[in-house]
Amino acid sequence: MRFTIASTTLASTAVITTLAGSPAVAATPSLPAPDIAGVLAVQKQAMANGAPGALTRIDSGNTTYRISRGQADTVAHTAMDADRRFRVGSVTKSFTTVVLMQLVAEGRIDLDASANTYLPEPLPDDRITVRHLLSHRSGLWDYTNDMFYDTVPGFESVRNKVFGYQELIDLSTAHEPTNEPGAAYSYSNANFVVLGEMIEHLTGVPMAAQYQERIFGPLGLKHTSYVHPRTAISGSSARGYLRPDDTTLPLVDSTEQTVSWAQSAGAVISNAADLNRFFSALVTGRLVPEAQLRQMMTMVPVTADGTQSYGLGLRARKLSCGVTVYGHTGTVQGFYTYAFTTADGKRSMTSMANTSNNGTVNTVLGGTLEAAFCGTGGAKASLAKSTEGETFTEDIAPQVERPTQ
Ligand code: REX
């Protein structure tokens, strides 16, 4: 039985559900209540900047907030809702890391061994360790920088392609490395493609089965799947709309694609409820043992102000109210995702906007973190910042500025 307060207008929906019989106590007493109006304001701003729609789900103790706005499908004019499935992009990296860390816990992989120990074809530098791959410190060039230099032609050229891991690794190693192994953080999809190859080579079990048996099944993530190289998203889902570099052109429906260019670095499909459950389960030790979790959550700052950091397949963000949240972001053509949880896993939030190649929308959407975890003050501060033109899009293939025609 659920107690539901629903407020729906044509433009937006906010539904708050509390488990009946349980007092609606704040899960993490030190956190302010989520600012639902703030989330709606952020979503509105994302739409004003070009997103067809947006969704946010917050799970806080026994209360669930489902907040959405705009359209899931701009042709059928279907309204967005917070249960829809979408492509999570690099949030996949956290799933891949869980599989890898379970193998570490089983004594089958040593984090500090040369990655070449476990690979069918060696990387050019024996000094690259498994840990370097997981923390984006290998120096392996991110081949998506070339692949998606021209956003729409790049996308169309790979949309139906099926790559082998080695083909993608070869695209990376054709370039000089960005740094000596271990010397610097340099985000690269190549790292997590190598890890996919490593897991499959070592175990003889495909990634789809690894994710299913080690994560989706045990956690009951019924809306999460890895269907690579199939192109369809089944069930209730949002369509994704890619913005061309020439922003005077219409958005391109990019929903169907193999995502083979990313596979173990970015091809998982999920929804907000499942991502919230996944990250909450992860930080509370339900997926990997304590020792491996500690490794994943040992963060090194990746921005000068120290508010953003990377562990092993996991990001952390320090928010304006001092709270640090753990999770990952994702960008795949047509979808921007933020999925984060508190250190105790008691409050989790996932947001998605169904567009991409639009740094402003991505930065604005990040404001839902402030609203969800820092309450009213946070959302206001972040909206003001992101609309002053201060956009920081972490780790994405460069968004090319082109003269408007
Ligand atoms: C590829 C380009 C983006 C997308 C990418 N995605 O590397 C990975 C990911 C899987 O999710 N990374 C993000 C395209 C950064 C993360 O870790 O949060 N951009 C787009 C272009 C630019 O084509 N020319 O915006 O859809």
Side-chain angles (χ1 to χ4, degrees):
M1 248 209 325
R2 278 160 188 276
F3 168 61
T4 302
I5 309 164
S7 111
T8 307
T9 66
L10 272 184
S12 65
T13 306
V15 179
I16 304 168
T17 311
T18 300
L19 283 177
S22 355
V25 286
T28 309
S30 54
L31 285 185
D35 173 14
I36 305 310
V39 171
L40 279 164
V42 169
Q43 292 182 347
K44 188 175 181 186
Q45 194 66 43
M47 284 182 62
N49 283 285
L55 64 83
T56 299
R57 174 175 166 132
I58 303 165
D59 286 288
S60 185
N62 47 36
T63 304
T64 295
Y65 304 82
R66 289 181 176 83
I67 307 141
S68 56
R69 201 182 255 283
Q71 298 190 329
D73 182 326
T74 60
V75 174
H77 300 294
T78 320
M80 184 66 84
D81 65 73
D83 296 328
R84 288 181 183 267
R85 305 178 75 213
F86 49 91
R87 299 193 184 282
V88 307
S90 286
V91 182
T92 303
K93 292 182 171 78
S94 302
F95 286 89
T96 301
T97 303
V98 166
V99 174
L100 193 291
M101 293 307 259
Q102 288 191 3
L103 293 169
V104 171
E106 290 161 18
R108 299 171 77 180
I109 293 181
D110 176 349
L111 281 181
D112 295 306
S114 167
N116 284 344
T117 320
Y118 310 108
L119 292 171
E121 280 192 49
L123 298 171
D125 194 328
D126 263 338
R127 296 172 300 169
I128 297 173
T129 65
V130 179
R131 190 190 297 277
H132 292 152
L133 297 169
L134 288 162
S135 56
H136 295 290
R137 293 181 168 268
S138 66
L140 289 175
W141 167 258
D142 193 344
Y143 56 83
T144 64
N145 292 337
D146 313 318
M147 200 177 261
F148 301 129
Y149 182 80
D150 286 319
T151 302
V152 174
F155 168 63
E156 295 296 359
S157 73
V158 298
R159 147 178 225 159
N160 291 307
K161 239 178 147 152
V162 181
F163 290 99
Y165 290 119
Q166 198 59 46
E167 271 179 274
L168 295 171
I169 296 167
D170 290 347
L171 291 177
S172 166
T173 56
H175 277 262
E176 285 299 305
T178 50
N179 51 266
E180 294 271 301
Y185 170 84
S186 180
Y187 189 89
S188 173
N189 288 297
N191 293 315
F192 280 75
V193 166
V194 173
L195 291 166
E197 171 156 79
M198 180 181 292
I199 291 167
E200 290 198 1
H201 179 66
L202 193 73
T203 63
V205 178
M207 284 312 291
Q210 293 284 5
Y211 293 131
Q212 186 61 42
E213 285 158 23
R214 294 176 182 271
I215 309 172
F216 307 163
L219 291 184
L221 305 183
K222 296 203 170 55
H223 302 287
T224 307
S225 53
Y226 183 82
V227 298
H228 171 263
R230 278 186 285 136
T231 55
I233 308 180
S234 64
S236 173
S237 57
R239 299 198 72 77
Y241 299 94
L242 175 63
R243 190 176 74 159
D245 294 325
D246 175 353
T247 58
T248 63
L249 294 176
L251 300 180
V252 172
D253 186 327
S254 51
T255 314
E256 278 86 23
Q257 65 154 316
T258 58
V259 206
S260 200
W261 59 270
Q263 11 198 329
S264 47
V268 164
I269 295 166
S270 188
N271 75 356
D274 277 7
L275 292 183
N276 284 354
R277 187 186 289 194
F278 168 68
F279 280 113
S280 176
L282 174 64
V283 299
T284 53
R286 288 164 53 210
L287 286 169
V288 297
E290 171 66 28
Q292 281 69 42
L293 183 59
R294 219 176 311 119
Q295 300 280 337
M296 284 181 74
M297 292 177 76
T298 301
M299 295 287 161
V300 178
V302 297
T303 53
D305 66 0
T307 59
Q308 303 194 20
S309 47
Y310 207 90
L312 302 183
L314 202 60
R315 291 189 189 281
R317 285 218 178 189
K318 190 167 185 208
L319 302 176
S320 65
C321 54
V323 174
T324 298
V325 289
Y326 300 85
H328 218 288
T329 46
T331 303
V332 65
Q333 289 84 0
F335 302 98
Y336 282 129
T337 303
Y338 286 78
F340 283 83
T341 191
T342 47
D344 62 6
K346 287 186 175 164
R347 188 180 294 178
S348 306
M349 185 218 80
T350 294
S351 289
M352 185 279 287
N354 56 344
T355 197
S356 69
N357 196 39
N358 184 334
T360 308
V361 167
N362 198 18
T363 307
V364 167
L365 190 68
T368 56
L369 288 171
E370 289 286 340
F373 296 103
C374 292
T376 43
K380 274 199 198 111
S382 118
L383 259 185
K385 237 170 119 178
S386 55
T387 50
E388 273 163 20
E390 206 180 300
T391 69
F392 171 72
T393 303
E394 58 200 358
D395 302 330
I396 302 186
Q399 192 185 320
V400 183
E401 293 295 339
R402 304 193 192 269
T404 41
Q405 290 147 9

